[in-house]
Amino acid sequence: MAGDMGNGITSNGKAPESNGDAGESGDKLHPLVRTMAEDFHAPRAEDIDHLHELQKFTTRKKDEKTDKERIGSLSETLKSAARTTGPKVVTSEKKPTTQGPRQAFMSAMSDSGLKPTVVYHNLTPAELYEKALAHEPGSHIVSSGALATLSGAKTGRTPKDKRVVREPGSEQNIWWAGKEGQSGSPNYEMDERTFLLNRERAVDYLNMLDRLYVFDGYAGWDPESRYKIRVVSARAYHCLFMHNMLIRPTEAELANFGRPDFTIFNAGAFPCNRYTSYMTSSSSVDINLKTGEMVILGSQYAGEMKKGVFTIMHYLMPKRGILSLHSGCNVGADNDVSLFFGLSGTGKTTLSTDPHRPLIGDDEHCWSDNGVFNIEGGCYAKCIGLKKESEPEIWNAIRFGSILENVVFDEYTREVDFMSNALTENTRVSYPIEYIANARVPCVGPHPKNIILLCCDAFGVLPPVSRLSTAQAMYHFISGYTAKVAGTEQGVTEPEATFSACFGGAFLMWHPMKYAAMLAEKMQKHGATAWLVNTGWTAGGYGVGYRMKLRHTRSIVDAIHSGELKGAETRPTDIFRLMVPTKVSNVPDEILQPAKQWKDPEAFDKSLRHLANLYATNFKKYASGGGFVSADTAAEICAAGPTV
């Protein structure tokens, strides 16, 4: 037949009528039509909302008692004078419910005491991605799978806006700013009433929002010394950041979390009142040790939360006889632990992240009677100029769950340009420590064998490595020296010395001598050796000489770890009287003595004396000992510095 297509279907697309016997059914389906009908699956969802509900499942068991306790704890946290009842709380995404007249009325109210707020508690990274992408402009998934975000106008910390409440329980312990002989302290005071004003402002702002994010986690990997931290934030980005940086609780730990030891109220998108006492800008970062709370106003830079937790631990740990340290930490095959101290640009992250030595942590640690432990559950690394070839561990950690802060990426490919400083020099990445393939988890280790103090001497006069006496270790630990070089900051045209007490002056709560005395005691008790390693310039200062080659610095660190340098022959230097090894494997002998590298001996001597004077001038503010060491010990420490 002309209309037959040869496949049982007529030219009009219909199956032909049956030519079967008269006894066959007249409405029998063509075989092809029957097959199509059998392949069709009826929908199992009643409507679109039901379809979305069927898309997800959970393995979590519901515990009404635990949920009730958790809701009560979160509601208690969010109370303020304007809101005496807690908001509605959910712990994961739920199917939206239709609002009745009363709920619709309450949602329209502007009074924070009436408006209900949804609180998302300990969401997973995937859920937080979804929230950030849906509600926070500037959030994007880049090609590696990481979440790229923006921190707003502030792309770094604002240390001069930090305030600590002066109250009877702690005021005698705090190293306060502004007192005679105590210049350099980061602890500017505020009174309790002003803190309450800022707390009320922050909590009222948070309660006005449609959604809040809360993360409960821990600070400190040692179970005997850990603290429960609660973070309340307006942004999913901030919640994911602290999910990475704090130690993440198990479901059982979360169910029994209870009341936190310390709470951060991050209302960073809302400014402080400039007319409030003690305010110097639109930003304020306030810590109250009495109430165990921190308030952030006027800054969305996530690092404020991380360093807020560290500041609290810097107070609480020494009070318990545990030394808190701003350092990196790794461990060797023989269970030998090394601590790395160093300011920005000294190579602390690069040298502590060693493929042959598991990483315990990159930034914040404590040294207790049990050994060392990491305070954090993640890493917060600078990524300006990041290259896979030079720092593969950090490069490979940038994946789903990581946060890239203030980076620039290609509009179409979403490839990140790590060389770009279009937004800031301080581009950062945050990731869980498990993302480092060579990390030791749990992040704990035995007592350290080596204390490595890193500096980047742009004057080119310090040796690449020297062994320190206990007094010298205290002196150089308190000094916390490195140097800025021309081009790194606007207005810097020649090398500029930078000193930061204990290599983390912005976070100290006690006088630097307190931390130094504890370090010396632990070093002597456990037989640790201290080293000063210069990763800066040689054969001349910046612009004349050249920077130490990384391979030579790595060889020096390897020689420290192997024990080669502990018994090596040494020679003292002039002025600083540092004991320098005469030989180091795989390092040219001439590099070990800076004076021999300079073509102009007089220029070397002049630069050496200049740096010595800078050291001495800086150390005057600590010379008294702050009451934490005897007058004789303080004098011994001062005498361990350079002679001028």
Side-chain angles (χ1 to χ4, degrees), residues 127-139 147 149 213 236-237:
E127 290 175 301
L128 291 169
Y129 263 51
E130 292 172 1
K131 298 300 181 186
L133 294 169
H135 305 295
E136 298 173 20
S139 298
L147 181 69
T149 64
Y213 304 92
Y237 138 54

Side-chain angles (χ1 to χ4, degrees), residues 491-504:
V492 178
T493 57
E494 59 183 28
E496 182 179 300
T498 297
F499 297 94
S500 182
C502 307
F503 294 93

Side-chain angles (χ1 to χ4, degrees), residues 30-97:
H30 187 274
L32 178 59
V33 176
R34 184 168 59 249
T35 300
M36 293 171 61
E38 289 171 352
D39 287 343
F40 177 74
H41 297 285
R44 299 183 181 183
E46 298 176 1
D47 52 37
I48 191 66
D49 287 338
H50 189 206
L51 180 65
H52 292 163
E53 186 177 293
L54 291 175
Q55 187 182 26
K56 303 174 185 177
F57 72 94
T58 181
T59 57
R60 293 180 180 177
K61 295 180 180 179
K62 186 173 179 62
D63 186 329
E64 292 186 4
K65 180 181 178 182
T66 299
D67 286 349
K68 185 176 181 181
E69 291 174 351
R70 189 180 306 176
I71 290 170
S73 176
L74 294 171
S75 296
E76 182 71 22
T77 295
L78 289 166
K79 282 184 178 180
S80 70
R83 183 170 198 162
T84 57
T85 58
K88 175 185 177 182
V89 174
V90 298
T91 56
S92 62
E93 291 184 297
K94 304 292 182 182
K95 177 182 174 181
T97 56

Side-chain angles (χ1 to χ4, degrees), residues 346-355 390-391 393-394 550 554:
T346 60
K348 181 184 70 171
T349 300
T350 300
L351 294 171
S352 62
T353 307
D354 186 327
S390 57
E391 295 182 278
E393 293 85 5
I394 295 174
L550 179 58
R554 286 195 185 279

Side-chain angles (χ1 to χ4, degrees), residues 212-249:
L212 294 178
Y213 304 92
V214 175
F215 182 75
D216 287 340
Y218 298 104
W221 278 89
D222 182 353
E224 296 179 11
S225 307
R226 73 181 185 181
Y227 281 81
K228 297 184 290 185
I229 310 295
R230 171 166 292 168
V231 181
V232 183
S233 63
R235 296 188 62 180
Y237 138 54
H238 289 150
C239 190
L240 179 57
F241 176 86
M242 291 307 282
H243 170 278
N244 288 348
M245 300 312 301
L246 290 174
I247 299 165
R248 294 156 289 284

Side-chain angles (χ1 to χ4, degrees), residues 284-297:
S284 190
V285 180
D286 312 325
I287 294 174
N288 190 332
L289 294 168
K290 179 180 178 180
T291 62
E293 293 176 324
M294 176 180 180
V295 171
I296 300 174
L297 290 165

